[in-house]
Amino acid sequence: MDLQLSDDQRALRSGMRDLLGAVFDREALRAAVERGGTVDRGLWRELGAAGLFALRLPEEAGGVGLGLPEAVLLFEEAGRALLPGPLVATHLAAGAVEGAAEGEAVVTALEGGGRPVAHLAEADAVLVGPGVLTDPAAALSGSGVRAGSGALTGEALAASVAEAGPVRSLDPLTPLHRAEGIAGAAMGLARGSEAYQVEGLAGAASGLAGGSEAYPGALCREGALLTAAEQLGSATRTTEMAVQHARTREQFGAPIGSFQAVKHLCADMLARTEPARSALYAAALTADPVEIAAAKLLADEAAVRNARDCLQIHGGMGFTWEADVHLHLKRAWLRASRWLTAAESEEILAAALGPSSGPVPPLYSGSAASG
């Protein structure tokens, strides 16, 4: 297995960093905070035109034709820039929901397990029952895995949104809603109700059904992997911010980076980031559910603890609203609770490592999101 990036992959990552530097700089980030984290539709379309959402669709379907390793690199850059919006869900919906690949539609996801739904009020579609897309052909035929399949749109979505209640979010850039009504709508899909619209499942086959048949829930796995990539990008950025501040901030006539305690904090941040990067890149190559669980666990820890250490190095300034590390910490906390939590990752790893371990269970036990 070769974990070294190719020249093309480096160019792809560099291009994404340049793009985000041009269209989502610090001023744009602060503007997004001021408007409550609502999605900038113009920026969304620019991301779509750049191929972020259609990256893994086949070229004959209008996509870029790349794979999970390349998607991980782009989502790492998105996390580094603190790019807001339901990026992962819209990427997963490309080819399944009209307009998602081009960035014309904003798509969020019902992750199940009682989790609130992000950016629900402005979404054009909500993915429900992610595990079903492992076999779209069976879904279309009405056999096997149809339960909970598809995307909720139109009047059914509007009715569900009207019943949803806002939830106070840790992250000012990620509005959340508690949406029990959508779980009910997912059950409607499971029963084949005509009140709910199931879009383009066949078109999602190549992009979403790449996982092992032994472990259902490819959509869950990919959602967790791409979220881990965002966490890694955030961990990398807070390490850079901490080192930069330690080099320039002086106390007692010397840069604070010359003090042993600060050196150790910066070294620990790097020591968390690089193992997480190795685990993430390996998981992107194999798409193995156990490796994805390990990658999410390591990336969550690196993002949260690095942001805390970065805040500590910034001292009192880090606790002010003007410091970007504040935003990184809040987003890292929120992402750690999305798609695959630490407890769920540990259960998967324990099941795989135990002496009598059998097949790895689905990523979630929640009824709406079980694979």
Side-chain angles (χ1 to χ4, degrees), residues 242-313:
V243 171
Q244 182 179 17
H245 187 74
R247 283 175 172 164
T248 56
R249 175 71 172 174
E250 293 189 0
Q251 284 187 344
F252 310 112
I256 61 172
S258 64
F259 304 145
Q260 190 175 47
V262 176
K263 287 180 183 177
H264 283 183
L265 283 177
C266 292
D268 287 345
M269 294 170 74
L270 184 64
R272 291 185 205 107
T273 303
E274 292 310 310
R277 185 186 310 282
S278 299
L280 181 70
Y281 288 1
L285 288 172
T286 65
D288 180 84
V290 177
E291 294 192 10
I292 289 174
K296 180 67 162 52
L297 192 63
L298 289 171
D300 284 345
E301 182 184 19
V304 171
R305 294 187 63 184
N306 281 15
R308 283 177 168 168
D309 284 353
C310 181
L311 191 151
Q312 187 72 25
I313 290 172

Side-chain angles (χ1 to χ4, degrees), residues 236-246 310 314 323-325 328:
T236 303
R237 180 61 187 143
T238 51
T239 302
E240 294 170 352
M241 293 163 61
V243 171
Q244 182 179 17
H245 187 74
C310 181
H314 277 74
D324 289 349
V325 61
H328 276 280

Side-chain angles (χ1 to χ4, degrees), residues 140-154:
L140 291 175
S141 68
S143 62
V145 291
R146 175 152 190 208
S149 62
L152 196 66
T153 61

Side-chain angles (χ1 to χ4, degrees), residues 149-220:
S149 62
L152 196 66
T153 61
E155 293 181 3
L157 174 60
S160 297
V161 171
E163 295 177 1
V167 178
R168 186 176 181 182
S169 176
L170 282 172
D171 177 17
L173 288 162
T174 309
L176 297 173
H177 282 79
R178 187 77 65 189
E180 283 81 3
I182 292 184
M187 294 304 295
L189 284 172
R191 293 192 298 269
S193 168
E194 295 181 355
Y196 305 109
Q197 183 178 357
V198 182
E199 293 200 37
L201 293 178
S206 59
L208 303 179
S212 166
E213 292 295 331
Y215 308 114
L219 205 63
C220 291

